[in-house]
Amino acid sequence: FSHAKEPLVEATAQQPASEPSASEGEQTAQQPEESAQQPTQQEQAGTDRDGALAIALENAGVDEQDIYNVKVEQDGDNGIPIYDIEFETDYGEMIEAVSGSESMGSGQVQDGHLYANVSVSGVNGGYQDANHLTMMDGRFIGEKDIKGEKNVAVVSDKLVSNMFPNGEDPLGQEIKAHLGDEIYTFTIIGVYQYEQDAITASMMSMMGMSSDRDITTDLYIPITTEWKLSGAVEGYSYITVLTREGADARNLAGEFEDYFNRFYTRNRDFQITAISLDSIIDQSMTMMSTIQIAIVVIAAISLLVGGIGVMNIMLVSVTERTREIGTRKALGARNSAIRLQFIVESVIICLIGGVIGVLVGLLLGYVGATLLGFPATPSVQAIAIAVSFSMMIGVFFGYYPANKA
């Protein structure tokens, strides 16, 4: 599920000048007493910051009972947002992992003539489990990396193949990522297995990038490092929650939405929306059903137009063969035999059209499946039904001209 980015850092920096903090009042009241009881400069700065944070959060629309929790987000020893601390604590029995990420941009890792296309993202420690990344060597980003804002990176095996063609051990090696006009240096701490989906493969094939050298893979760095390097607001634009087996994802999505919305009860600018994978699948199925109905309607119109065309052809044929029909009747042919003859001719015309349609459909389906990378093999039963339906169209629309004959 996703939500709008929460600008708590910006709010913290905006200290109203007209309202003194609580610590300033205490300092004024204690001036006549002994100087040994006065707070140190560091303690005073921390108290002033807490007072300003409380005022700023109230102005931002955060409830008073939630101010302490948000201060934990800013002042916690881990330096990790509250979504990774308090949220996982409250729902620890229901969730498997919480994944948060922020994109830093795309570019290239370069070393002389060697290069690898990358998309740099800042992630938290739960990203690996939530996205089912398979580590091939080293480790994934941990809590110490996030706390220390370290310039470390987890790269793909494709990047390792491009940047270390001679088989060097990538762990501990430094790489330089060129993102726009900036160059960032990271130390490799882990290598994950890159898995290319069919859509990406088909897009690369269409763009003529069939070589592994041109594949763009993800390069993961600690989320706090991404905040530091990009200067972005500390917070997640969205997070992904992996629930435990047996948990009701639909109900949990509603609970998660209510959980995070309590921080924005009086704020009109931010709102949290939680969506479960089940609901996304249902929406997709509904959309697919609508598309299927539209295709059926279009096919019905096409069959109607085609049937009318067959009927007109048979009417013309009956008119042109009036002499033949009269000769057969003179020789003793019954009306039912003549009617059957023209119905069979109509069915044969539709059968030929149905076979041609099946062949064209198979060809176009094969081309589309090859470009998209998805298997698309129609069943024999579907082909038989399509051809049979085409023959039924011949019987229906050929009966009137045959009966007129």
Side-chain angles (χ1 to χ4, degrees):
F1 61 93
S2 60
H3 62 86
K5 187 172 291 185
E6 184 178 2
L8 293 180
V9 174
E10 293 181 359
T12 305
Q14 298 173 355
Q15 180 176 357
S18 59
E19 298 187 31
S21 63
S23 59
E24 291 174 348
E26 293 176 1
Q27 184 178 9
T28 304
Q30 294 177 358
Q31 282 181 353
E33 300 180 1
E34 296 180 3
S35 59
Q37 298 179 354
Q38 294 182 353
T40 64
Q41 184 177 1
Q42 182 177 6
E43 293 173 346
Q44 181 67 35
T47 309
D48 290 343
R49 180 187 59 186
D50 292 343
L53 174 61
I55 296 173
L57 291 174
E58 289 176 355
N59 294 336
V62 179
D63 287 342
E64 181 179 358
Q65 61 267 26
D66 295 326
I67 290 179
Y68 173 75
N69 293 332
V70 180
K71 284 170 63 180
V72 172
E73 175 184 354
Q74 301 299 318
D75 300 335
D77 293 336
N78 291 328
I80 305 174
I82 192 172
Y83 315 132
D84 286 344
I85 301 176
E86 182 185 348
F87 178 69
E88 292 190 23
T89 301
D90 292 345
Y91 292 95
E93 298 180 355
M94 304 178 187
I95 61 178
E96 186 74 25
V98 178
S99 167
S101 63
E102 286 294 322
S103 176
M104 189 173 173
S106 299
Q108 279 190 342
V109 173
Q110 298 179 2
D111 184 12
H113 68 281
L114 302 175
Y115 72 92
N117 297 322
V118 294
S119 176
V120 182
S121 298
V123 300
N124 66 343
Y127 187 91
Q128 178 187 1
D129 294 332
N131 293 273
H132 307 290
L133 292 180
T134 302
M135 297 299 298
M136 300 179 62
D137 197 5
R139 61 177 179 83
F140 197 72
I141 293 170
E143 203 170 291
K144 292 183 178 179
D145 302 319
I146 298 175
K147 177 182 177 181
E149 300 179 355
K150 296 181 179 180
N151 283 26
V152 294
V154 176
V155 301
S156 68
D157 56 338
K158 300 296 184 183
L159 183 143
V160 172
S161 300
N162 289 350
M163 301 305 299
F164 305 98
N166 297 324
E168 301 95 329
D169 185 4
L171 298 183
Q173 301 283 351
E174 289 188 349
I175 55 175
K176 296 184 181 298
H178 297 249
L179 304 180
D181 298 331
E182 302 293 335
I183 301 177
Y184 304 98
T185 302
F186 302 105
T187 301
I188 299 177
I189 61 173
V191 179
Y192 71 91
Q193 182 179 1
Y194 174 73
E195 297 180 0
Q196 187 179 65
D197 56 83
I199 296 178
T200 303
S202 61
M203 290 180 62
M204 291 187 60
S205 178
M206 294 175 62
M207 296 173 62
M209 297 186 303
S210 58
S211 173
D212 287 350
R213 186 177 181 84
D214 297 321
I215 293 177
T216 299
T217 61
D218 291 316
L219 186 150
Y220 301 113
I221 62 175
I223 183 67
T224 51
T225 304
E226 192 275 335
W227 292 337
K228 178 183 68 175
L229 296 179
S230 65
V233 175
E234 295 187 9
Y236 297 127
S237 58
Y238 69 93
I239 62 176
T240 302
V241 179
L242 179 64
T243 59
R244 295 186 184 275
E245 185 177 358
D248 190 341
R250 294 178 183 272
N251 292 337
L252 283 178
E255 292 185 22
F256 295 161
E257 187 170 312
D258 295 337
Y259 177 89
F260 286 106
N261 266 319
R262 65 192 178 100
F263 294 102
Y264 303 92
T265 52
R266 296 199 304 269
N267 194 316
R268 299 180 180 179
D269 298 326
F270 300 95
Q271 185 177 5
I272 286 82
T273 301
I275 303 176
S276 67
L277 185 59
D278 291 340
S279 62
I280 295 177
I281 293 175
D282 290 343
Q283 293 175 3
S284 301
M285 294 299 294
T286 302
M287 182 178 65
M288 291 299 296
S289 299
T290 304
I291 294 175
Q292 288 179 352
I293 293 174
I295 292 176
V296 169
V297 172
I298 295 173
I301 295 174
S302 300
L303 291 174
L304 177 62
V305 173
I308 293 174
V310 171
M311 184 174 63
N312 289 334
I313 292 174
M314 295 306 300
L315 284 173
V316 172
S317 177
V318 169
T319 304
E320 292 178 347
R321 297 164 63 182
T322 303
R323 184 183 298 274
E324 175 188 341
I325 296 172
T327 302
R328 292 191 60 186
K329 285 187 176 182
L331 295 175
R334 293 178 298 179
N335 290 336
S336 59
I338 296 174
R339 184 186 303 114
L340 179 61
Q341 174 188 349
F342 282 93
I343 290 178
V344 170
E345 291 180 4
S346 176
V347 170
I348 291 175
I349 292 174
C350 291
L351 176 61
I352 295 173
V355 172
I356 294 175
V358 169
L359 294 177
V360 173
L362 289 175
L363 178 61
L364 295 179
Y366 175 78
V367 173
T370 302
L371 293 177
L372 297 177
F374 291 105
T377 304
S379 63
V380 178
Q381 181 181 3
I383 295 176
I385 292 175
V387 174
S388 300
F389 199 83
S390 178
M391 296 172 63
M392 291 174 58
I393 293 294
V395 174
F396 181 81
F397 285 95
Y399 181 82
Y400 173 73
N403 190 57
K404 188 176 181 180

